[in-house]
Amino acid sequence: MSSFKSAPVAMLDDKYESGIKVIMESEEDVSIFRDHWFPRYQNKLRFESAEDGSIGGGGCNAVRQKVEDARSQRLNAFGIVDRDTLLSDGKTGIFWETDDADFEAAQPYDFIHVLRRWELENYLLRPEAFAAEVRRRDLRAQPMIDSQTLLNQHEEDLVGLTALTTFMMSQNEKSPKPGFGLDSSGQRLKEKIGTHLNSKLPGKSYSDLETDIGKISSFHENHQESDKHWERLTRILDGKKTLNRICVWLSKQHGLDSVKPWEEMRGFGQPDCRSRIG
């Protein structure tokens, strides 16, 4: 009886509740999946954050540890992590894989599904999501937002910003915050990226930055039609930087107050529940 009394409460709850435990990187991720994308499955799936309460933490390593701990207790547990986990974990070959079937077949972690997109923000990078957000804030607006418009306005800048992130991570350096370069575009943004690199990695060759730009572009090189081009490209873009930049553009373009990426748009990027999250 003493061993029963000393057992962790969370473990006891898990053992006597049916369903599948799904461990995610953060409380925010849990909120998106549980409350907005898959509320109909709450009797079957129990989404849980890898974060440790007010202490924080979370991330891929915490997900892997929690899944391992749960399965050691014979619980039916799995994890979901963002694609950029592969980059920070040194699994660059899989990270840059453009073929979906080969990406899925790689299965780098036991009992953990790696999203095909960079992170959850990438699921919001859809023309209909942006148009819905503008209409929600201004019922009179009839925004013409399509993939070609987004590509024309943002593609070069977003590819450059993403390459900055991948390059910095390859050098074990932190990428600048999501708001980096929001006041610049085109050549001015390239200059700002160069200044940032010179300050963080003085004397370093940046040839790999151009290599990464080529790798990012390879995700859409066989798709000339704008819809498919945009869909493929947004898989590998830095999600937070991309979403922040487009939301600022939307605000200026339509005369709106600042559009907050998560708080305002989190319900609009719902994936197809009938297929695997990818």
Side-chain angles (χ1 to χ4, degrees):
M1 192 65 157
S2 60
S3 61
F4 182 81
K5 289 180 178 179
S6 63
V9 173
M11 186 269 283
L12 293 176
D13 288 343
D14 290 338
K15 279 189 172 294
Y16 288 94
E17 288 186 16
S18 60
I20 299 172
K21 179 194 285 286
V22 182
I23 312 294
M24 310 201 69
E25 295 189 45
S26 69
E27 290 287 355
E28 188 173 67
D29 292 355
V30 169
S31 175
I32 298 301
F33 271 70
R34 181 192 61 208
D35 302 332
H36 294 277
W37 288 357
F38 301 107
R40 292 180 297 168
Y41 295 86
Q42 290 191 34
N43 62 326
K44 298 179 181 179
L45 302 175
R46 296 184 56 216
F47 294 103
E48 180 180 307
S49 170
E51 291 179 312
D52 190 8
S54 60
I55 299 176
C60 176
N61 289 336
V63 171
R64 291 158 66 181
Q65 187 61 57
K66 280 185 172 285
V67 169
E68 184 178 325
D69 291 346
R71 296 193 73 87
S72 71
Q73 299 293 333
R74 297 184 180 180
L75 300 176
N76 200 13
F78 300 87
I80 297 177
V81 296
D82 300 334
R83 185 184 188 122
D84 68 329
T85 291
L86 299 170
L87 195 61
S88 58
D89 211 17
K91 302 183 186 300
T92 55
I94 307 173
F95 175 81
W96 290 116
E97 177 56 63
T98 60
D99 185 271
D100 289 344
D102 289 344
F103 182 84
E104 294 290 345
Q107 294 293 329
Y109 308 112
D110 292 336
F111 307 109
I112 293 179
H113 175 67
V114 183
L115 298 177
R116 287 200 291 265
R117 288 164 174 77
W118 181 290
E119 56 191 338
L120 285 185
E121 281 88 344
N122 294 63
Y123 289 94
L124 301 177
L125 303 178
R126 296 160 55 180
E128 61 269 28
F130 295 126
E133 173 57 20
V134 172
R135 286 193 295 270
R136 192 184 70 81
R137 296 177 69 90
D138 184 354
L139 296 178
R140 298 168 300 175
Q142 295 297 323
M144 297 297 293
I145 302 172
D146 56 29
S147 297
Q148 192 60 59
T149 298
L150 294 170
L151 288 167
N152 291 341
Q153 290 286 335
H154 305 287
E155 180 173 8
E156 184 178 5
D157 291 342
L158 295 175
V159 170
L161 287 167
T162 299
L164 172 62
T165 299
T166 58
F167 178 75
M168 294 296 287
M169 291 179 72
S170 72
Q171 302 299 311
N172 296 316
E173 294 282 347
K174 288 185 177 180
S175 176
K177 293 182 179 180
F180 176 84
L182 283 178
D183 59 343
S184 304
S185 183
Q187 186 58 36
R188 285 186 60 199
L189 179 60
K190 291 179 181 178
E191 291 170 358
K192 181 162 284 192
I193 289 174
T195 299
H196 179 81
L197 289 171
N198 285 327
S199 67
K200 296 296 183 181
L201 299 165
K204 185 77 177 178
S205 170
Y206 307 134
S207 59
D208 286 346
L209 188 72
E210 292 299 322
T211 300
D212 284 2
I213 288 175
K215 289 179 179 178
I216 294 165
S217 298
S218 70
F219 273 75
H220 63 72
E221 62 185 5
N222 295 323
H223 302 281
Q224 299 304 314
E225 62 277 20
S226 60
D227 287 350
K228 191 63 176 179
H229 183 131
W230 177 254
E231 189 275 329
R232 293 290 305 179
L233 178 63
T234 54
R235 292 189 178 208
I236 203 66
L237 292 179
D238 182 322
K240 289 185 175 64
K241 287 186 177 65
T242 299
L243 190 57
N244 271 269
R245 194 172 192 85
I246 294 178
C247 283
V248 168
W249 172 75
L250 283 174
S251 300
K252 293 178 179 178
Q253 192 83 357
H254 297 280
L256 301 172
D257 292 334
S258 180
V259 180
K260 298 177 182 179
W262 271 121
E263 289 83 352
E264 300 294 341
M265 294 186 63
R266 60 172 53 183
F268 290 117
Q270 184 170 351
D272 189 342
C273 299
R274 294 169 297 179
S275 61
R276 295 186 65 189
I277 303 294

